[in-house]
């Protein structure tokens, strides 16, 4: 990652409202970067960021007990969205199945993000998507 222009980490409580709080945090972060730091952020980037945050935080909320950390790092090329949770099980995108209901989150993130990584942490895991700005 190039030199960050802006970054933030938001602690989410892992309860139902944390998904909306994560989306709101991403919008606020990008809006501030656009207005305060004059970073040229397009509306599509904001929309994709909200989608990615929503999917990653939803997965953490559904499958990991307790708090979630959302880290957003912006450089001149990418917005990095990292979500840490306490569950050590590493997620895998399911094979494509148009008849399956649900469990499409990682497929969606892979489709809209430049790349997606999952890494184990000493406690839990961190799932990181990079979105081209």
């Amino acid at each position: 990652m190039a030199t960050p222009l802006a970054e933030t980490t938001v602690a989410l409580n892992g309860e139902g409202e944390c998904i909306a709080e994560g989306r709101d945090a991403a919008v606020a972060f990008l809006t501030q970067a656009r207005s305060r730091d004059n970073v040229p952020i397009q509306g599509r980037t904001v929309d994709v960021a909200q989608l990615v945050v929503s999917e990653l935080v939803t997965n953490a909320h559904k499958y990991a007990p307790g708090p979630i950390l959302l880290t957003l790092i912006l450089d001149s090329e990418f917005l990095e969205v990292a979500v840490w949770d306490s569950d050590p099980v590493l997620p895998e995108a399911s094979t494509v199945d148009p008849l399956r209901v649900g469990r499409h989150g990682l497929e969606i993130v892979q489709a809209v993000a430049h790349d997606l990584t999952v890494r184990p942490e000493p406690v839990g895991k961190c799932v990181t998507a990079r979105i081209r700005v």
Side-chain angles (χ1 to χ4, degrees):
M1 175 155 243
T3 303
L5 301 171
E7 71 180 274
T8 191
T9 298
V10 179
L12 303 169
N13 64 13
E15 300 298 323
E17 70 277 358
C18 71
I19 300 161
E21 289 172 1
R23 283 192 304 264
D24 292 346
V27 171
F29 174 76
L30 293 171
T31 299
Q32 185 175 28
R34 184 186 307 161
S35 62
R36 184 192 68 200
D37 303 325
N38 295 319
V39 178
I41 305 219
Q42 299 176 8
R44 181 184 185 286
T45 301
V46 176
D47 293 343
V48 171
Q50 287 184 87
L51 175 62
V52 168
V53 166
S54 184
E55 293 298 337
L56 296 182
V57 172
T58 295
N59 284 351
H61 167 69
K62 285 175 70 172
Y63 301 111
I68 299 164
L69 291 177
L70 168 64
T71 301
L72 304 165
I73 304 172
L74 179 66
D75 69 22
S76 59
E77 289 186 72
F78 294 99
L79 169 65
E80 186 174 281
V81 176
V83 174
W84 171 89
D85 67 53
S86 63
D87 186 3
V89 176
L90 303 181
E92 294 181 15
S94 300
T95 56
V96 176
D97 179 358
L99 300 178
R100 183 180 67 241
V101 176
R103 295 188 351 254
H104 294 282
L106 286 180
E107 290 174 57
I108 293 168
V109 173
Q110 285 178 320
V112 299
H114 178 73
D115 57 46
L116 176 71
T117 59
V118 179
R119 72 175 188 273
E121 295 285 327
V123 174
K125 67 181 166 299
C126 187
V127 180
T128 303
R130 290 189 324 142
I131 302 164
R132 188 173 298 280
V133 296

